[in-house]
Amino acid sequence: MEAVAGIGLLETAFVWKERHYFVQTLDIMKKILVPIDFSEHSEYALQVASKIAKQHGAGIILLHMIGISDSVLANSEIAEEAEAKYFLKLAKEKIKEFTKREYLKEVPVEAIIQNYKDFEEVNNVAREQHCDLVVMGSHGTSGFSELFVGSNTEKVVRSSELPVIVIKGEHEDFKIAKMVLACDLGKESIPVYTKAKAFADLFSASLEVVYVNTAGANFMGYDDVEKRMESFKKALGQEVKVNFYNHHSVERGILNYCAEQGADLLVIPTHGRKGLAHFVVGSLAENVSNHAKMPVMTIKL
């Protein structure tokens, strides 16, 4: 197997031999998958992943997708091979440069280069490599409800069976002491809470739940609020801290609550195929002018 600057480089296609599920109790983190496109945003994600890896003695898997076009693949075998080798060489050189970063010292790193064009393949790699977490950068700047929509990050979030932490900016002093899970307190939110709690325990962080109560058709009175909260706790089988936050917009309410509480990580459930436009509570309100600059962890329902 060819090596790049002391980093194992896997270039073969993967065969899905067994299913790898995220267990409800996460006692140790072994591998973190970081998809990279060599942009500054993917480096922000790699920096955060390195901090998490050092904290928990985990390794990092770098995944770069070359995405050679169909027109290249349609050429003769000789031309195809030459073109593939060219792009592979460029990718290796860039990966070498990335892995020389000071913050990656003492972190076990492997690099995987694949000719994938569909970012949903990231989930396959994560499962094949038995990763526990995906950390990925995002260029999203158009508001919370459109944070990932139409981007490669959205495709990863939509298809990933593992929790994904999305990083939008540089975090020199990254730490997770307080996590907030925004959900609708329905039965589907129970496994999401369990997974979020496993990560909170691993990070030695607190975890609280917030339900944003909006005006209009989705508004709930005090009695309904109490019933929903008690049903959630009963289904969960344990006492949890649940907060209700009144706001005219679900998205604004979530972001305002996190800012007021000084949350380090926002956790939101996703519906997979429906994308992030359908997460959390009921129907979405107007687009948010504020941007979610804080790290966001998504967990698939």
Side-chain angles (χ1 to χ4, degrees), residues 31-64:
K31 292 183 181 180
I32 303 170
L33 181 66
V34 184
I36 59 172
D37 60 3
F38 307 120
S39 67
E40 62 177 359
H41 291 84
S42 61
E43 180 151 14
Y44 294 154
L46 185 55
Q47 289 175 341
V48 168
S50 70
K51 293 180 184 295
I52 297 175
K54 289 178 181 178
Q55 292 169 1
H56 303 285
I60 290 178
I61 305 289
L62 296 179
L63 173 63
H64 177 65

Side-chain angles (χ1 to χ4, degrees), residues 31-152:
K31 292 183 181 180
I32 303 170
L33 181 66
V34 184
I36 59 172
D37 60 3
F38 307 120
S39 67
E40 62 177 359
H41 291 84
S42 61
E43 180 151 14
Y44 294 154
L46 185 55
Q47 289 175 341
V48 168
S50 70
K51 293 180 184 295
I52 297 175
K54 289 178 181 178
Q55 292 169 1
H56 303 285
I60 290 178
I61 305 289
L62 296 179
L63 173 63
H64 177 65
M65 299 165 62
I66 299 178
I68 299 175
S69 67
D70 293 336
S71 61
V72 172
L73 296 178
N75 291 333
S76 67
E77 292 183 3
I78 296 178
E80 176 188 333
E81 183 179 356
E83 193 81 7
K85 286 183 176 180
Y86 172 75
F87 284 114
L88 180 59
K89 180 182 178 182
L90 288 181
K92 287 181 181 180
E93 291 174 352
K94 289 184 178 181
I95 284 179
K96 283 182 183 179
E97 181 181 344
F98 251 59
T99 54
K100 289 178 181 178
R101 302 296 195 260
E102 184 71 21
Y103 57 78
L104 282 177
K105 283 188 175 181
E106 301 180 359
V107 177
V109 178
E110 287 184 273
I112 298 174
I113 299 175
Q114 292 285 8
N115 185 35
Y116 290 145
K117 289 176 288 184
D118 186 348
F119 270 73
E120 293 184 356
E121 294 286 353
V122 172
N123 185 55
N124 292 13
V125 177
R127 294 173 67 175
E128 177 69 22
Q129 295 297 311
H130 302 289
C131 295
D132 303 294
L133 177 68
V134 178
V135 179
M136 189 171 185
S138 172
H139 300 255
T141 57
S142 57
F144 190 77
S145 64
E146 298 175 335
L147 180 60
F148 311 122
V149 176
S151 69
N152 291 327

Side-chain angles (χ1 to χ4, degrees), residues 158-177:
R158 183 173 55 197
S159 60
S160 178
E161 295 182 5
L162 293 178
V164 179
I165 293 182
V166 179
I167 304 297
K168 290 187 64 182
E170 190 171 12
H171 297 270
E172 293 183 0
D173 187 28
F174 180 81
K175 62 178 181 179
I176 300 176

Side-chain angles (χ1 to χ4, degrees), residues 202-219:
L202 188 66
F203 294 138
S204 297
S206 64
L207 174 66
E208 56 187 69
V209 180
V210 62
Y211 174 92
V212 178
N213 198 20
T214 58
N218 293 318
F219 179 80

